[in-house]
Amino acid sequence: MAWECSDCNAREEEDGKVVVDAVCHHCGKPLCRDHQQPLIDDAFATSESDGLIPWDRIAIHCESCRRIHHLRATVMDKAAR
């Protein structure tokens, strides 16, 4: 079964040009790598104090859920992933 990105409708293919490897943390829609919006979610508590962003505080969002639930949040830079 080929997965399809809910935001752009691109289908995952064997050549690896489109990879659908995450779902939105709020609605569960499948997302390709170009449409994943990783955000630091303050709902996830942490005890880290070394200045690094702990992975357990990052959640993947689709565009519509980011706008609804995290309007003022900053999307993490794709290069930092």
Side-chain angles (χ1 to χ4, degrees), residues 3-72:
W3 288 91
E4 187 173 297
C5 176
S6 293
D7 277 1
C8 70
N9 299 321
R11 292 181 62 83
E12 187 172 52
E13 298 180 10
E14 290 181 21
D15 62 8
K17 290 181 182 176
V18 175
V19 178
V20 179
D21 63 353
V23 296
C24 176
H25 143 85
H26 289 280
C27 68
K29 292 190 299 190
L31 298 165
C32 70
R33 290 188 179 163
D34 288 340
H35 289 95
Q36 296 172 17
Q37 299 196 13
L39 302 174
I40 299 169
D41 198 323
D42 292 331
F44 303 135
T46 183
S47 60
E48 299 287 329
S49 61
D50 58 7
L52 299 175
I53 300 168
W55 285 107
D56 58 357
R57 291 193 60 206
I58 297 172
I60 301 296
H61 296 75
C62 66
E63 174 69 19
S64 56
C65 286
R66 183 194 60 80
R67 289 182 183 200
I68 292 168
H69 300 286
H70 304 281
L71 187 58
R72 289 181 241 153

